[in-house]
């Protein structure tokens, strides 16, 4: 789904850039309400995990592959505003360091892969959670459905953008049919990965999953013959040592998993073109594709380390570097947002004489 330079004309690319910038600004503000001392480092890890899993193209049809988009996964794990930022960080790292997704098309990619997938999936997820039983299984089921539908939604969004600003004269009905058809299949893979990941975290630490907040029923006490909720713990109460240790375990496990996926498993990913690449080639959308600006200058272009001749080592090393850079960049952004929240909510000084 990474759109290269040349697919969409300059005016529409500029408009989507403004839309993306506005969405990121809104998300930075909204993320202050979602992030706390536990979820800020988790958000950086989610970004790194999405980067790693996006390297794992899986076959979906003859000569076609797909990969995780990640909007649903990020929104459910860390919140919709933070989710937009997670996927945007990944797209920025991919565009600058790995020449994946055009730089002039960065606004298109953020709008399509970060904003549309996150908004659509989280809206569906919240709707399903409200009607399903309040159980961990319901969170997993809702995650599956939301992720499944988020991918064809992104395909529809790209089709609409192409209809307005496409640089080739291809019948929009042909583009829509091909894009939606193949991305419904890719959506199944997205749904499986998302549901398995969310289910695994919910099973271990449901309190770390943004979409599962409120899942735990408060304990009841019988007072004068009536059941009443036990009082909530004060917000300033520090987390138990066991909970903090479990949090570190989740973070370390997630980071190691990301490094293994990007550094080793990615070598066995499908080499077939992904859904957008396949449709673009078959329908002629790629006729005016432009060379990526960093293709010759970036030492990591094409997900390989320049001057490393062994393909396995080159790709694995590039994946490890990508995970490292993404987790550092993401964690830095989210800690800055968290600190800004702390500053904004700190008590103000009382004027003299009051």
């Amino acid at each position: 789904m990474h759109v290269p330079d040349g697919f969409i004309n300059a005016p529409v690319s500029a408009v989507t850039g403004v839309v993306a910038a506005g969405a990121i600004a809104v998300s930075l503000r909204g993320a202050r309400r979602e992030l706390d001392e536990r979820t800020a480092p988790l958000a950086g890890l989610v970004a790194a995990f999405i980067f790693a899993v996006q390297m794992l193209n899986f076959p979906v049809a003859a000569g076609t592959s797909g990969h995780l988009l990640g909007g649903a996964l990020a929104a459910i794990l860390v919140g919709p505003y933070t989710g937009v930022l997670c996927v945007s960080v990944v797209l920025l790292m991919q565009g600058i360091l790995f020449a994946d997704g055009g730089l002039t098309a960065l606004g298109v990619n953020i709008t399509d892969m970060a904003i549309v997938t996150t908004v659509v999936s989280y809206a569906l997820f919240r709707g399903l959670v409200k009607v399903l039983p309040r159980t961990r299984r319901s969170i997993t089921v809702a995650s599956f459905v939301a992720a499944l539908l988020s991918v064809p939604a992104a395909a529809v969004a790209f089709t609409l953008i192409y209809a307005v600003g496409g640089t080739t004269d291809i019948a929009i009905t042909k583009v829509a049919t091909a894009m939606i058809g193949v991305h419904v299949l890719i959506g199944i893979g997205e749904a499986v990965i998302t549901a398995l990941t969310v289910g695994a975290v919910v099973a271990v630490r449901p309190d770390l999953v943004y979409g599962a907040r409120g899942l735990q029923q408060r304990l009841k006490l019988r007072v004068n013959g009536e059941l009443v909720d036990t009082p909530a713990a004060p917000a300033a109460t520090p987390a138990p040592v066991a909970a903090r240790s479990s949090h570190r375990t989740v973070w370390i496990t997630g980071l190691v998993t990301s490094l293994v996926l990007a550094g080793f498993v990615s070598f066995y990913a499908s080499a077939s073109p992904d859904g957008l690449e396949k449709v673009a080639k078959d329908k002629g959308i790629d006729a005016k594709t432009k060379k990526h600006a960093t293709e010759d200058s970036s030492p990591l272009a094409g997900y390989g380390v320049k001057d490393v001749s062994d393909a396995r080592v080159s790709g694995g090393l590039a994946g490890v570097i990508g995970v490292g850079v993404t987790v550092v960049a993401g964690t830095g952004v989210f800690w800055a947002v968290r600190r800004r929240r702390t500053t904004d909510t700190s008590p103000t000084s009382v004027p003299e004489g009051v």
Side-chain angles (χ1 to χ4, degrees):
M1 190 69 78
H2 292 76
V3 179
D5 296 320
F7 275 25
I8 307 299
N9 63 30
V12 173
S13 295
V15 170
T16 57
V18 172
V19 171
I24 289 174
V26 172
S27 296
L28 284 169
R29 189 175 185 84
R32 297 180 200 170
R33 300 191 297 270
E34 296 173 347
L35 294 170
D36 56 30
E37 67 279 357
R38 297 173 303 167
T39 55
L42 180 63
L45 177 61
V46 168
F49 182 76
I50 290 173
F51 174 90
V53 180
Q54 282 195 3
M55 294 183 66
L56 308 181
N57 280 45
F58 48 84
V60 295
T64 310
S65 70
H67 63 69
L68 182 80
L69 299 186
L73 177 62
I76 295 166
L77 286 179
V78 293
Y81 293 108
T82 308
V84 169
L85 298 178
C86 281
V87 182
S88 297
V89 167
V90 173
L91 293 171
L92 188 62
M93 296 298 101
Q94 290 171 332
I96 294 176
L97 298 179
F98 296 89
D100 189 10
L103 294 182
T104 62
L106 187 58
V108 176
N109 286 321
I110 290 176
T111 300
D112 194 24
M113 296 176 64
I115 302 171
V116 172
T117 59
T118 301
V119 171
V120 170
S121 63
Y122 197 72
L124 288 170
F125 174 82
R126 293 308 308 173
L128 289 170
V129 167
K130 288 182 179 180
V131 300
L132 292 172
R134 295 172 62 83
T135 64
R136 295 180 181 182
R137 181 174 296 180
S138 296
I139 298 296
T140 303
V141 171
S143 300
F144 183 94
V145 176
L148 173 65
L149 296 178
S150 70
V151 179
V156 170
F158 169 79
T159 302
L160 294 175
I161 293 172
Y162 177 81
V164 177
T167 56
T168 53
D169 187 17
I170 309 298
I172 195 62
T173 54
K174 294 182 179 180
V175 176
T177 301
M179 283 292 294
I180 296 172
V182 71
H183 283 91
V184 167
L185 298 177
I186 295 173
I188 297 173
E190 179 100 10
V192 170
I193 295 170
T194 300
L196 288 176
T197 305
V198 171
V201 181
V202 165
V204 179
R205 287 291 302 272
D207 58 305
L208 293 180
V209 178
Y210 184 88
R213 291 184 179 181
L215 179 65
Q216 302 296 324
Q217 297 291 338
R218 189 176 296 178
L219 294 177
K220 301 281 187 178
L221 292 177
R222 188 174 294 278
V223 179
N224 298 326
E226 297 183 0
L227 290 176
V228 298
D229 289 333
T230 56
T237 301
V241 174
R244 292 197 297 269
S245 177
S246 176
H247 180 202
R248 287 194 296 269
T249 301
V250 170
W251 197 91
I252 294 171
T253 301
L255 180 60
V256 171
T257 300
S258 300
L259 291 170
V260 170
L261 291 175
F264 177 73
V265 181
S266 62
F267 182 78
Y268 301 97
S270 173
S272 299
D274 66 23
L276 177 59
E277 292 172 333
K278 179 65 173 176
V279 172
K281 183 177 180 180
D282 290 347
K283 303 301 179 183
I285 297 175
D286 59 354
K288 296 186 179 180
T289 303
K290 296 179 180 178
K291 186 176 181 179
H292 197 284
T294 66
E295 185 175 330
D296 295 327
S297 59
S298 174
L300 300 173
Y303 295 92
V305 178
K306 185 179 293 185
D307 298 329
V308 176
S309 57
D310 187 288
R312 186 190 297 268
V313 175
S314 178
L317 187 57
V320 169
I321 293 172
V323 168
V325 171
T326 303
V327 75
V328 170
T331 301
V333 169
F334 299 124
W335 268 118
V337 173
R338 167 63 183 158
R339 287 174 62 86
R340 181 68 179 272
R341 172 189 173 180
T342 303
T343 302
D344 290 346
T345 58
S346 61
T348 55
S349 58
V350 180
E352 293 184 6
V354 177

